[in-house]
DNA sequence: AAGAAGTGAATGACTATTCATTCATCTACC
DNA sequence: GGTAGATGAATGAATAGTCATTCACTTCTT
């Protein structure tokens, strides 16, 4: 029987290899070697190289989305929801640096399939943000002149770029906590002093 | 004599092809056809395929950096500096969609050379932001608990992701002006209502 | 022993790069 | 001012290397 174990081992190995070399420079034989299976075995579990990439994104990001959505469901305060989103996202990225790198690099592919992907699971992800914003606006906590459609992008972009701190060497000095606080400060209160 | 004209024609064509297909899926023959030259001619102007990509980034982003730096030099008010940065960046991206797409996609390559590139010209670009923040902090206009090193990333990430509005189809409805205003509102005043 | 799972060498498609050749333009000499 | 020779930009067919995918064969499991 094809084992779930092996499937996972290939996913994890592929994540590692994609993170290091990028999708196009990663060879199937690299992934096979990393996973300690034969090249051909990969094709028992995945249709083709691209299928591996999409699976990495689907399964691994899927886990994070689920986790964040579950944590936010419990909350009613839009400020806390936002805080949770930021903290969960950043700590997930810091914890799984390979995945973070794959997201940085590969979510930007111009390939049709990746674009499609970006339009489904990814969209779901950033729409969590606009939902939070809308709730906050209804509650009178967030300004109504903020357009959730633009703010959600700004927000995700900021988080994504900031999380590079942990994937580019020499920038390790910031903790998840202080980074989260910075993002919260920036987006909730803004940069200007309140005089 | 090798003409500057032809060099430019190749750069522009390459930008177009890279934007459409991404670096790895772009064939030299695609670029040659787009530029209406022979495949071999490309190698009279560039060392290899990668050299073309780096040249696109260097030359085209270089132009934007120069333009922004020049515009900001005139200013002393940190709020206006910030506003100018945002507006110039967004309008440059909206104007040159091919370049915007190449930046979205290719600036994330994990290739050594691209990473190196990201560490020079790109660094210079986002350091313009931290400089503005520091000036604002010295002037007492920006909060001093904001870390410029983190804020600059958040800021660039937000701008970059927001500018995708114009490269992904079906999102054309926002103007540069209203998008700029949103970003300014978000980063300067924050999302919370001031009650 | 049969069927499933695993193997990895062989295949074949793809394309970046090269280079022998062409040809338009320029220079020098009468 | 016209001709012969020199120059080097431009061409595109041929090369050479890479690697995803296949499949004939082996090993494991029940």
């Amino acid at each position: 029987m094809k084992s779930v174990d092996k499937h996972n081992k290939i996913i994890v190995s592929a994540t590692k290899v994609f993170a290091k070399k990028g999708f196009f420079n990663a060879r199937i034989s690299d992934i096979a070697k990393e996973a300690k299976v034969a090249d051909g075995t990969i094709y028992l579990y995945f249709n083709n190289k691209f299928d591996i990439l999409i699976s990495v994104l689907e399964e691994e990001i899927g886990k994070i989305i689920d986790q964040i959505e579950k944590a936010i469901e419990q909350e009613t305060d839009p400020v806390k929801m936002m805080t949770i989103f930021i903290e969960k996202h950043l700590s997930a990225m810091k914890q799984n640096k390979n995945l973070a790198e794959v997201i940085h690099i590969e979510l930007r592919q111009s390939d049709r399939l990746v674009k499609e992907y970006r339009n489904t699971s990814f969209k779901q992800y950033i729409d969590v943000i606009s939902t939070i914003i809308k709730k906050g606006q209804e509650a009178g906590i967030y300004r109504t002149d903020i357009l959730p459609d633009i703010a959600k992008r700004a927000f995700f972009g900021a988080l994504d770029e900031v999380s590079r701190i942990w994937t580019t060497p020499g920038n390790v000095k910031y903790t998840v906590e202080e980074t989260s606080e910075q993002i919260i400060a920036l987006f909730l209160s803004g940069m200007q002093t309140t005089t």
Side-chain angles (χ1 to χ4, degrees), chain A:
Chain A
M1 195 200 45
K2 286 194 251 178
S3 78
V4 177
D5 235 48
K6 203 154 281 182
H7 175 101
N8 269 337
K9 212 158 94 184
I10 295 170
I11 288 275
V12 172
S13 303
T15 308
K16 205 177 285 180
V17 176
F18 288 155
K20 193 169 168 195
K21 302 193 158 192
F23 177 74
F24 288 101
N25 288 320
R27 275 166 295 163
I28 291 292
S29 57
D30 293 335
I31 299 171
K33 192 186 276 177
E34 180 74 38
K36 287 178 185 138
V37 299
D39 294 13
T41 305
I42 306 243
Y43 288 88
L44 296 175
Y45 291 87
F46 299 92
N47 296 325
N48 52 47
K49 193 181 169 188
F50 221 92
D51 188 31
I52 306 174
L53 175 62
I54 296 296
S55 301
V56 165
L57 294 174
E58 278 294 339
E59 294 178 28
E60 300 294 296
I61 298 186
K63 280 184 209 158
I64 300 176
I65 296 185
D66 287 353
Q67 200 200 339
I68 292 185
E69 281 190 333
K70 216 164 277 169
I72 285 176
E73 256 170 31
Q74 324 275 326
E75 268 303 330
T76 51
D77 174 9
V79 171
K80 280 213 182 111
M81 286 166 111
M82 205 65 134
T83 308
I84 289 169
F85 189 97
I86 294 169
E87 279 169 0
K88 292 271 178 198
H89 180 94
L90 290 183
S91 67
M93 293 301 129
K94 193 182 181 188
Q95 232 155 65
N96 196 341
K97 284 170 198 162
N98 288 328
L99 178 63
E101 192 97 346
V102 175
I103 291 175
H104 292 326
I105 298 170
E106 303 307 337
L107 208 55
R108 268 86 183 185
Q109 277 314 325
S110 63
D111 190 286
R112 208 194 87 248
L113 281 175
V114 175
K115 276 198 170 156
E116 259 164 38
Y117 172 74
R118 207 182 142 99
N119 277 326
T120 57
S121 305
F122 171 76
K123 205 167 177 304
Q124 186 196 343
Y125 191 59
I126 68 167
D127 280 347
V128 173
I129 305 169
S130 49
T131 305
I132 295 175
I133 297 174
K134 281 175 199 155
K135 279 197 184 131
Q137 288 178 328
E138 280 160 23
I141 292 168
Y142 296 152
R143 294 164 53 185
T144 49
D145 59 336
I146 295 290
L147 298 170
D149 243 31
I150 290 181
K152 74 179 179 192
R153 284 167 185 272
F155 202 79
F156 174 80
L159 281 180
D160 187 54
E161 184 68 36
V162 162
S163 67
R164 269 173 183 271
I165 285 174
W166 299 301
T167 55
T168 49
N171 273 308
V172 198
K173 51 184 171 180
Y174 299 107
T175 65
V176 171
E177 288 72 30
E178 64 188 327
T179 310
S180 297
E181 270 165 32
Q182 288 284 314
I183 301 286
I184 292 163
L186 269 177
F187 276 88
L188 293 187
S189 317
M191 227 154 60
Q192 277 176 323
T193 51
T194 46
T195 45

